[in-house]
Amino acid sequence: MDAVDVVQRFNAAINERDLTELASLMSDDHTFIDTAGNTVSGKGACIEAWRAFFAAFADYRNVFIDLTVGDEVVSVSGYSLCSRPELAGPALWTARVTGGLVGEWRLHTDSPAARRELGLPPGGLV
């Protein structure tokens, strides 16, 4: 399975709130980083963080528009849907994929500078 397939499966698991599938796609040293730089490290801790997130925001979903692959990193632009306005709107993600597993899932604020840095097309939904 290539890196793009892994990232699409990972996002599908998020959208379906499928912790078993998410766990199967995480490396043991998986790290999650949000737009503020807050970090959750380790597969077990990340699974528990997702469990709490899903319980708090049951209608959260990600929609991918563009995916760009470079080395072991997949950069994604799109948007999130959620009844909580602070979680809805344009978003950028990166996923470091090694050996068919996501080692890092990172959220980025959608900005022209971030798009350039991540090698994503200009524009966006802002």
Side-chain angles (χ1 to χ4, degrees), residues 75-91:
S75 299
V76 182
S77 66
Y79 57 95
S80 296
L81 301 168
C82 188
S83 58
R84 296 282 298 267
E86 65 272 20
L87 296 176

Side-chain angles (χ1 to χ4, degrees), residues 33 42 49 55 68 88 101-102 104-105:
I33 306 168
T68 303
L101 298 174
V102 178
E104 179 184 278
W105 185 257

Side-chain angles (χ1 to χ4, degrees), residues 11-57:
N11 188 58
I14 291 169
N15 288 346
E16 295 165 11
R17 294 171 310 285
D18 185 341
L19 288 171
T20 302
E21 178 71 358
L22 268 178
S24 77
L25 295 166
M26 288 181 190
S27 64
D28 289 339
D29 63 345
H30 182 87
T31 301
F32 171 85
I33 306 168
D34 70 14
T35 56
N38 298 311
T39 301
V40 179
S41 297
K43 185 176 188 173
C46 288
I47 291 166
E48 290 310 311
W50 279 114
R51 184 184 317 280
F53 185 85
F54 295 153
F57 310 106

Side-chain angles (χ1 to χ4, degrees), residues 65-79:
I65 305 273
D66 290 303
L67 292 95
T68 303
V69 182
D71 297 323
E72 296 178 339
V73 176
V74 178
S75 299
V76 182
S77 66
Y79 57 95

